[in-house]
Every structure is written in structure tokens, then in C-alpha cells.
Amino acid sequence: MSERKIAMVGTPCEIMAASKLNHYADSPIDVKLGLFCMENFSYKYFGNLLDEYGLKMDDIEKFQIEKGYVFLLLKTKETVKIPLSVARRIIRKNCNICVELTSETSDISIGSIGSEEGWSTLIVRSKKGESIVEGAIKQQFIEAKDLTESQFRLLNRLAGNKISKNLDNIEEREFFARPVLYQREKSDTSIEKEISESDFLDLKSNVIDVGSCVLCGACEYVCPDNLITIDDTKPRMKGQCHEDCHACFAVCPRTFIPQDLRNDNSKAIGEYIKVLSVKSLKHTQGQDGSIVTTILDYLLTNKIVTDALIVDKKDHLAWKPYAKITSDIDEVVKSGGTKYSVCPVFKPLKNIEEEVS
């Protein structure tokens, strides 16, 4: 494994995959920065929706979702708003069974819910995350204040609403299809037994074929024989699993979750050390007050990590996300902003392994 120590940025499902990689496999991910996420959209169907409004992806300068609308700031400086009730038809199916709003297995969670304009809500989850935030404040990368009681209530209420709504979706889905594995309450011993009897075919039938795949690419990354490939639609396998290999099933964020990573859904935002409202003192570009960019800047500047795993936009395909690993803060700044569409975020990790070998 490479000597690199990587800070990763991801949505709740991607952070869960990273947490399972750390739990079951050998992973260079050292710091997890989780985003608040209500849902993500299909890139293809988002393009189709824009066609209905006479727009193309190339027309858009910036996305923003708030107050029940998708706001599109166009390059002409005009703003178009699409009701979220209309946009919901292009939400990816796996988002409808996600009961995490705030990336509960991250070291630090970041989002705009709760804080006033220009500030971001930051949830410290781990001792490592606490040390990072304290260092960033001390070195004047960010400033922080306590979230007010009413702001904290809003955050909890919206997180609770997502849990309640999607638990209903899970119940409805299970009435017609297979159980949603990642919500099973099982002991670690029972989970280990299930994993030992499962391979890609089980992953395919229980996750991929029923619309639960989050397209993160953890299965592709962890496959020791490079049999799995993942593209814009779903993971595919060429060849046959070794009889004693169960890695892809183990690390998928939509298969069984070990007890120390599982939220019992009674705590809307999960376990945490503290919740703050923070503002960047270094950067202004990007969403959520540029806090993600600023924290990555702090980590790279102080050599706490060697690289950042981030999602950028393709230059030749407007707003099409792709994952990359970089140690260049200018590239981190350039990538700032939410893409509202997913990509195989772990794909660049495979390149590190190939470089080492």
C-alpha cells in the first residue's frame, strides 16, 4: 500500500463506503470530510430535465438547492428556478433509502443547514476531527461560533425528516423487492458469516439489480483481481470471483453495516463531539462557505495529509463529475462547489495501487 495519507470528501454513502474500507480492507484514506446530502440526481436525466426548460448543462454557471427549489445561475447572469417537486423525478433510486443527512461516520461533517448565510454548519465527529478543527481555528483558516438552539433544532428536524421519510420508502420497497441490507440490525458475528458466504453475484442481486447501488466504486477498488469495472450506470464483472474472496460485498455501503458504524436512527445527526457554525478566512469560492476547500487547504499546508480525494467537473463535458487525487491546493479550489450528481469516487485509489505495484 502507498505511503500516502489521503483526505477524502464525500456524501454520506461515499463516507460509509470509506468507513467500511477502513474497517475491512487496507485503505489510504486517513481523514473523512462528509457532506450534508439530501439526495443526488442522475446526470443524464438532469440533462433531460433541462431540455424541458430550453437549457443545456453548458448554460449553467452554478447550482444551488434551497427553499424547495433548484436554483440555476446561468452564465448570462440570469437565474432559473425549478421546483424541487419537479426535480424529484430525476433523483437516483438509491437516495430514496438513505437515512443519513449528515455523513455520520466522517471525522468532520459540513453543510449549509442551520447556519446563517456566509457560514456553514460543521459537526465534529472524532478526536482526529476535533484536532483538525482546533488547528484550523488557531491558524486562522476558519473562525467558529456555537450554533444557536434554534439553528440546532432545524438541523435535527430536517435530518429526522429524512430518516422518517426514507424509512417509509424502505418499508415500501421491501414489500415489493428484496430487503434493504444496510438497514438490517445484525450482530457483527452474523454479518461476518453473511460476508463469508457472499460474492459479487450476491452484491448484484441484493444491491445493484434492485437500484440500491450508490455508484461509489468501492467494489471496483477493493477487487484483488481487477474483475469489476464501474461506469456511469452500474458495476459489472468480467470473470469469476475466487471462492474465498468476499471483498466487494464487505465494503459496499449498501450491504450490512458493522455495529460500530451503524446508526440506530434514534439520533437524527448521529454521534458527535460538538456542532459549530464556521466561516472561512481563506477562501470564498464554492458552496457551504468554502469550508471544505479551507479544511483541505489546512490539511495539505500542514502536511497532515499528502493528498486530497475530491470531485471536479470535466472540462469537455459541463458539470460532469469525476474523481481525482491531488496535492495542489489550486486544484482543490478549482473543484469547489456541489455537482449534484455522483461518480465512482474511489476510482483514483486504484491508480495508486497500480503505481505501487
Side-chain angles (χ1 to χ4, degrees):
M1 176 55 66
S2 168
E3 293 300 316
R4 287 177 170 176
K5 295 173 68 175
I6 295 175
M8 173 194 170
V9 180
T11 59
C13 54
E14 293 164 348
I15 293 297
M16 177 59 77
S19 299
K20 293 186 78 176
L21 280 169
N22 288 337
H23 186 91
Y24 289 113
D26 190 9
S27 167
I29 297 168
D30 188 61
V31 177
K32 292 172 291 185
L33 304 181
L35 305 173
F36 292 7
C37 179
M38 196 66 77
E39 63 260 318
N40 261 308
F41 302 113
S42 159
Y43 181 84
K44 175 182 177 181
Y45 293 124
F46 209 149
N48 293 343
L49 178 63
L50 292 178
D51 285 343
E52 297 177 19
Y53 287 78
L55 297 171
K56 301 292 183 186
M57 287 285 190
D58 280 319
D59 299 329
I60 298 169
E61 182 72 31
K62 183 179 178 181
F63 285 104
Q64 184 81 25
I65 295 180
E66 60 181 7
K67 299 177 181 177
Y69 287 92
V70 179
F71 289 92
L72 311 176
L73 176 62
L74 306 184
K75 292 176 181 176
T76 60
K77 303 308 177 185
E78 298 173 272
T79 298
V80 174
K81 63 180 186 178
I82 300 174
L84 201 50
S85 57
V86 173
R88 287 198 184 283
R89 72 173 188 259
I90 62 168
I91 293 173
R92 300 190 75 241
K93 287 183 180 179
N94 75 82
C95 295
N96 293 326
I97 59 169
C98 174
V99 295
E100 273 191 74
L101 175 69
T102 60
S103 295
E104 295 166 25
T105 61
S106 60
D107 295 295
I108 300 168
S109 303
I110 301 159
S112 59
I113 297 172
S115 289
E116 62 201 78
E117 188 174 351
W119 292 71
S120 297
T121 300
L122 183 150
I123 305 174
V124 178
R125 304 269 187 197
S126 68
K127 288 296 183 182
K128 182 186 293 183
E130 185 174 36
S131 175
I132 291 167
V133 172
E134 288 175 353
I137 293 171
K138 184 176 181 180
Q139 293 186 24
Q140 297 187 326
F141 278 77
I142 61 174
E143 62 176 301
K145 59 185 180 181
D146 291 334
L147 216 62
T148 67
E149 188 175 332
S150 62
Q151 289 172 328
F152 186 74
R153 283 200 304 268
L154 173 63
L155 175 61
N156 265 280
R157 178 169 59 81
L158 292 181
N161 288 348
K162 179 173 182 178
I163 291 173
S164 177
K165 179 186 72 172
N166 285 352
L167 283 177
D168 288 342
N169 290 337
I170 287 171
E171 184 176 354
E172 181 178 357
R173 181 181 288 201
E174 291 185 330
F175 183 80
F176 295 103
R178 292 176 180 267
V180 176
L181 299 190
Y182 97 110
Q183 279 297 294
R184 299 299 94 186
E185 293 186 11
K186 296 172 72 71
S187 69
D188 284 350
T189 301
S190 178
I191 290 173
E192 291 285 356
K193 184 176 184 297
E194 293 276 4
I195 290 173
S196 71
E197 297 171 351
S198 302
D199 59 15
F200 183 81
L201 291 179
D202 297 285
L203 184 69
K204 184 176 184 296
S205 61
N206 285 286
V207 176
I208 300 167
D209 290 348
V210 294
S212 295
C213 175
V214 305
L215 212 68
C216 67
C219 57
E220 178 187 44
Y221 165 62
V222 83
C223 179
D225 298 310
N226 297 319
L227 299 177
I228 301 173
T229 58
I230 185 167
D231 55 25
D232 286 341
T233 55
K234 61 184 179 180
R236 294 178 170 84
M237 170 170 275
K238 293 184 178 180
Q240 187 171 353
C241 289
H242 283 255
E243 189 175 334
D244 60 347
C245 183
H246 319 283
C248 62
F249 191 88
V251 302
C252 174
R254 287 296 181 256
T255 59
F256 304 108
I257 304 298
Q259 289 174 294
D260 66 338
L261 298 178
R262 190 165 65 229
N263 178 10
D264 65 4
N265 297 324
S266 66
K267 299 174 182 176
I269 63 171
E271 301 288 349
Y272 63 90
I273 295 174
K274 65 178 74 170
V275 183
L276 301 169
S277 188
V278 296
K279 184 177 182 179
S280 175
L281 299 175
K282 293 281 187 178
H283 302 281
T284 57
Q285 182 179 336
Q287 200 166 317
D288 297 333
S290 299
I291 293 301
V292 172
T293 299
T294 305
I295 295 292
L296 290 175
D297 188 355
Y298 168 77
L299 291 168
L300 291 168
T301 298
N302 287 275
K303 303 188 186 305
I304 297 169
V305 299
T306 59
D307 303 273
L309 174 56
I310 57 176
V311 174
D312 202 350
K313 304 188 295 288
K314 291 188 176 180
D315 293 333
H316 64 284
L317 199 56
W319 290 98
K320 179 67 173 176
Y322 76 102
K324 67 180 181 182
I325 293 174
T326 182
S327 59
D328 186 341
I329 189 58
D330 289 336
E331 288 194 357
V332 172
V333 172
K334 173 181 170 292
S335 72
T338 305
K339 315 305 183 293
Y340 295 112
S341 188
V342 296
C343 68
V345 70
F346 296 107
K347 190 176 282 290
L349 296 184
K350 201 72 175 178
N351 297 332
I352 292 178
E353 279 198 344
E354 290 169 357
E355 288 172 11
V356 173
S357 59

